[in-house]
Amino acid sequence: MRFERVVAWGGGGVFVASLAILAAWLVSLGRPSPFGGWTPIAFDSVLFLVFAAHHSLLARPGAQKVMLRIFPERQLRTVYVWTASLLLILVCWLWQPIGGQVFRITGIRAFVHIGVALAGLLMIMLSVRAIDALDLAGIRKSHGSSNLQITGPYRLVRHPLYLGWMLIVFAPANMTGDRLFFAAISSAYLIVAIPWEEASLEASFGRAYVEYKRLVRSRVIPYVY
């Protein structure tokens, strides 16, 4: 059990490290460069889809049944976090520059974009605060329907983490081709994955989640979707 705790906390460390690498990488995508053509777009699409496929498929009941033949149930979240974190680092490392400048806003209007990004960051922080951060990092496994959160930002939309992410990635006043493409493909993936995720949540929480969906109609964008 001690070894399992070390592995779990190690996974949490890699998870935090992957987020730090992602943040630094997103900043680096603001460097100006000429448009690289369609080849890097195709490569980056496949690269991201590998990450997305893991994120969705490994969370499905069928895939988890296969994993249970190798790992005990208590380790599934840890394996998931380790794999997802390493794949995210791989995306940042292998990403091929797309280049190009979509727009660059300066002056007072740039502060509006900063405000949008800060609003997204606050949304994510409040969302993580409402749930179990250690569970999210694979360090501690939560149990029971009492862990269904319907307070704070979860009263606004059912997936406030996704809303916060979209606000951040679409906020830059210096929008390069790389930033726009990553924002678009990552946000599109989140939207496509929502029905699968909600099916799993409904299976886990049952009637409580059905009532929650009735209470909070919007999935990600308030009054829109």
Side-chain angles (χ1 to χ4, degrees), residues 67-149:
M67 290 178 61
L68 284 172
R69 299 174 184 173
I70 307 172
F71 305 100
E73 184 179 6
R74 64 180 182 275
Q75 295 179 1
L76 291 187
R77 182 64 186 174
T78 299
V79 173
Y80 183 88
V81 169
W82 266 99
T83 310
S85 301
L86 293 174
L87 284 175
L88 181 57
I89 294 173
L90 200 64
V91 168
C92 299
W93 181 35
L94 297 180
W95 186 272
Q96 298 299 301
I98 296 172
Q101 186 78 45
V102 181
F103 59 79
R104 184 182 181 91
I105 296 174
T106 58
I108 193 67
R109 290 186 300 166
F111 286 97
V112 176
H113 290 258
I114 294 174
V116 171
L118 291 176
L121 180 60
L122 179 61
M123 178 72 71
I124 290 176
M125 291 173 63
L126 291 175
S127 301
V128 172
R129 182 182 178 184
I131 60 179
D132 190 337
L134 292 180
D135 179 37
L136 184 66
I139 296 173
R140 179 170 59 210
K141 181 175 176 57
S142 300
H143 301 278
S145 60
S146 61
N147 294 304
L148 176 61
Q149 297 300 323

Side-chain angles (χ1 to χ4, degrees), residues 1 5 31 45 59 72 80 88 100 117 140 143 182-183 199 214 225:
M1 291 297 293
R5 295 295 296 171
R31 291 195 296 262
S45 298
Y80 183 88
L88 181 57
R140 179 170 59 210
H143 301 278
F182 183 72
R214 183 187 61 81
Y225 174 77

Side-chain angles (χ1 to χ4, degrees), residues 19-216:
L19 295 180
I21 291 171
L22 175 64
W25 178 70
L26 288 174
V27 172
S28 73
L29 293 184
R31 291 195 296 262
S33 62
F35 178 59
W38 294 101
T39 299
I41 292 178
F43 179 87
D44 294 339
S45 298
V46 173
L47 180 65
F48 185 84
L49 287 175
V50 170
F51 167 78
H54 153 268
H55 231 285
S56 292
L57 296 179
L58 215 60
R60 303 278 68 79
Q64 291 188 351
K65 287 181 180 179
V66 174
M67 290 178 61
L68 284 172
R69 299 174 184 173
I70 307 172
F71 305 100
E73 184 179 6
R74 64 180 182 275
Q75 295 179 1
L76 291 187
R77 182 64 186 174
T78 299
V79 173
Y80 183 88
V81 169
W82 266 99
T83 310
S85 301
L86 293 174
L87 284 175
L88 181 57
I89 294 173
L90 200 64
V91 168
C92 299
W93 181 35
L94 297 180
W95 186 272
Q96 298 299 301
I98 296 172
Q101 186 78 45
V102 181
F103 59 79
R104 184 182 181 91
I105 296 174
T106 58
I108 193 67
R109 290 186 300 166
F111 286 97
V112 176
H113 290 258
I114 294 174
V116 171
L118 291 176
L121 180 60
L122 179 61
M123 178 72 71
I124 290 176
M125 291 173 63
L126 291 175
S127 301
V128 172
R129 182 182 178 184
I131 60 179
D132 190 337
L134 292 180
D135 179 37
L136 184 66
I139 296 173
R140 179 170 59 210
K141 181 175 176 57
S142 300
H143 301 278
S145 60
S146 61
N147 294 304
L148 176 61
Q149 297 300 323
I150 58 174
T151 60
Y154 290 90
R155 300 281 295 185
L156 178 65
V157 293
R158 300 202 294 265
H159 302 275
L161 281 169
Y162 296 171
L163 174 59
W165 170 260
M166 292 177 190
L167 289 175
I168 289 175
V169 294
F170 282 108
N174 175 27
M175 184 61 78
T176 61
D178 288 275
R179 281 179 168 172
L180 180 59
F181 183 71
F182 183 72
I185 194 171
S186 60
S187 298
Y189 159 67
L190 293 177
I191 291 175
V192 169
I194 282 176
W196 290 355
E197 180 176 348
E198 293 200 336
S200 297
L201 289 169
E202 192 168 328
S204 298
F205 296 107
R207 185 65 184 174
Y209 195 76
V210 174
E211 288 298 319
Y212 173 61
K213 290 198 297 183
R214 183 187 61 81
L215 179 67
V216 179

